[in-house]
mmCIF file of all heavy atoms in Angstrom:
data_model
loop_
_atom_site.group_PDB
_atom_site.id
_atom_site.type_symbol
_atom_site.label_atom_id
_atom_site.label_comp_id
_atom_site.label_asym_id
_atom_site.label_seq_id
_atom_site.Cartn_x
_atom_site.Cartn_y
_atom_site.Cartn_z
ATOM 1 N N ALA A 658 100.646 89.309 61.109
ATOM 2 C CA ALA A 658 101.090 87.919 61.223
ATOM 3 C C ALA A 658 100.003 86.920 60.831
ATOM 4 O O ALA A 658 100.301 85.877 60.234
ATOM 5 C CB ALA A 658 101.568 87.638 62.646
ATOM 6 N N TYR A 659 98.742 87.222 61.163
ATOM 7 C CA TYR A 659 97.637 86.298 60.886
ATOM 8 C C TYR A 659 96.479 87.078 60.267
ATOM 9 O O TYR A 659 95.444 87.296 60.918
ATOM 10 C CB TYR A 659 97.192 85.611 62.174
ATOM 11 C CG TYR A 659 98.317 84.987 62.957
ATOM 12 C CD1 TYR A 659 98.868 85.654 64.061
ATOM 13 C CD2 TYR A 659 98.849 83.750 62.598
ATOM 14 C CE1 TYR A 659 99.905 85.094 64.778
ATOM 15 C CE2 TYR A 659 99.887 83.177 63.311
ATOM 16 C CZ TYR A 659 100.418 83.856 64.405
ATOM 17 O OH TYR A 659 101.450 83.302 65.114
ATOM 18 N N PRO A 660 96.617 87.500 59.029
ATOM 19 C CA PRO A 660 95.593 88.374 58.418
ATOM 20 C C PRO A 660 94.222 87.724 58.302
ATOM 21 O O PRO A 660 93.202 88.392 58.514
ATOM 22 C CB PRO A 660 96.183 88.685 57.039
ATOM 23 C CG PRO A 660 97.179 87.605 56.780
ATOM 24 C CD PRO A 660 97.730 87.220 58.108
ATOM 25 N N LEU A 661 94.162 86.430 57.986
ATOM 26 C CA LEU A 661 92.866 85.762 57.855
ATOM 27 C C LEU A 661 92.167 85.657 59.206
ATOM 28 O O LEU A 661 90.959 85.895 59.314
ATOM 29 C CB LEU A 661 93.057 84.371 57.238
ATOM 30 C CG LEU A 661 93.589 84.348 55.796
ATOM 31 C CD1 LEU A 661 93.727 82.909 55.316
ATOM 32 C CD2 LEU A 661 92.663 85.128 54.879
ATOM 33 N N LEU A 662 92.927 85.300 60.238
ATOM 34 C CA LEU A 662 92.355 85.225 61.574
ATOM 35 C C LEU A 662 91.891 86.605 62.033
ATOM 36 O O LEU A 662 90.824 86.741 62.652
ATOM 37 C CB LEU A 662 93.398 84.676 62.544
ATOM 38 C CG LEU A 662 92.995 84.617 64.019
ATOM 39 C CD1 LEU A 662 91.837 83.632 64.211
ATOM 40 C CD2 LEU A 662 94.179 84.230 64.885
ATOM 41 N N HIS A 663 92.675 87.617 61.726
ATOM 42 C CA HIS A 663 92.320 88.982 62.110
ATOM 43 C C HIS A 663 91.018 89.413 61.444
ATOM 44 O O HIS A 663 90.142 90.015 62.079
ATOM 45 C CB HIS A 663 93.453 89.932 61.723
ATOM 46 C CG HIS A 663 93.189 91.362 62.061
ATOM 47 N ND1 HIS A 663 92.557 92.224 61.182
ATOM 48 C CD2 HIS A 663 93.455 92.093 63.184
ATOM 49 C CE1 HIS A 663 92.460 93.415 61.745
ATOM 50 N NE2 HIS A 663 92.995 93.371 62.944
ATOM 51 N N ARG A 664 90.874 89.106 60.170
ATOM 52 C CA ARG A 664 89.669 89.514 59.437
ATOM 53 C C ARG A 664 88.434 88.775 59.930
ATOM 54 O O ARG A 664 87.331 89.321 59.959
ATOM 55 C CB ARG A 664 89.880 89.256 57.948
ATOM 56 C CG ARG A 664 88.780 89.792 57.056
ATOM 57 C CD ARG A 664 89.132 89.548 55.605
ATOM 58 N NE ARG A 664 90.421 90.124 55.258
ATOM 59 C CZ ARG A 664 91.006 89.973 54.065
ATOM 60 N NH1 ARG A 664 90.411 89.251 53.126
ATOM 61 N NH2 ARG A 664 92.173 90.525 53.825
ATOM 62 N N ARG A 665 88.618 87.515 60.347
ATOM 63 C CA ARG A 665 87.471 86.708 60.744
ATOM 64 C C ARG A 665 87.074 86.925 62.203
ATOM 65 O O ARG A 665 85.886 86.943 62.539
ATOM 66 C CB ARG A 665 87.793 85.226 60.518
ATOM 67 C CG ARG A 665 86.624 84.286 60.819
ATOM 68 C CD ARG A 665 86.934 82.854 60.464
ATOM 69 N NE ARG A 665 87.985 82.287 61.296
ATOM 70 C CZ ARG A 665 89.212 82.051 60.901
ATOM 71 N NH1 ARG A 665 89.573 82.326 59.645
ATOM 72 N NH2 ARG A 665 90.119 81.544 61.708
ATOM 73 N N MET A 666 88.045 87.126 63.083
ATOM 74 C CA MET A 666 87.771 87.129 64.510
ATOM 75 C C MET A 666 87.629 88.525 65.108
ATOM 76 O O MET A 666 86.757 88.739 65.970
ATOM 77 C CB MET A 666 88.894 86.384 65.251
ATOM 78 C CG MET A 666 88.988 84.915 64.888
ATOM 79 S SD MET A 666 87.555 83.944 65.439
ATOM 80 C CE MET A 666 87.712 84.134 67.220
ATOM 81 N N LEU A 667 88.461 89.461 64.690
ATOM 82 C CA LEU A 667 88.483 90.766 65.357
ATOM 83 C C LEU A 667 87.397 91.667 64.775
ATOM 84 O O LEU A 667 87.611 92.398 63.811
ATOM 85 C CB LEU A 667 89.859 91.417 65.221
ATOM 86 C CG LEU A 667 90.114 92.568 66.202
ATOM 87 C CD1 LEU A 667 89.965 92.086 67.630
ATOM 88 C CD2 LEU A 667 91.492 93.159 66.000
ATOM 89 N N THR A 668 86.236 91.639 65.375
ATOM 90 C CA THR A 668 85.107 92.462 64.953
ATOM 91 C C THR A 668 85.048 93.728 65.805
ATOM 92 O O THR A 668 85.754 93.862 66.813
ATOM 93 C CB THR A 668 83.798 91.681 65.100
ATOM 94 O OG1 THR A 668 83.611 91.341 66.478
ATOM 95 C CG2 THR A 668 83.842 90.411 64.269
ATOM 96 N N SER A 669 84.192 94.640 65.418
ATOM 97 C CA SER A 669 84.028 95.871 66.201
ATOM 98 C C SER A 669 83.467 95.561 67.592
ATOM 99 O O SER A 669 83.856 96.191 68.584
ATOM 100 C CB SER A 669 83.109 96.839 65.453
ATOM 101 O OG SER A 669 81.837 96.253 65.216
ATOM 102 N N ARG A 670 82.566 94.584 67.683
ATOM 103 C CA ARG A 670 82.008 94.226 68.987
ATOM 104 C C ARG A 670 83.082 93.679 69.914
ATOM 105 O O ARG A 670 83.128 94.034 71.099
ATOM 106 C CB ARG A 670 80.894 93.191 68.795
ATOM 107 C CG ARG A 670 80.223 92.749 70.088
ATOM 108 C CD ARG A 670 79.073 91.798 69.822
ATOM 109 N NE ARG A 670 78.037 92.432 69.028
ATOM 110 C CZ ARG A 670 76.911 91.821 68.650
ATOM 111 N NH1 ARG A 670 76.699 90.556 69.016
ATOM 112 N NH2 ARG A 670 76.028 92.458 67.921
#
Side-chain angles (χ1 to χ4, degrees):
Y659 309 99
L661 295 180
L662 176 65
H663 179 271
R664 187 177 304 175
R665 184 175 66 254
M666 296 293 297
L667 197 58
T668 61
S669 59
R670 181 176 298 180

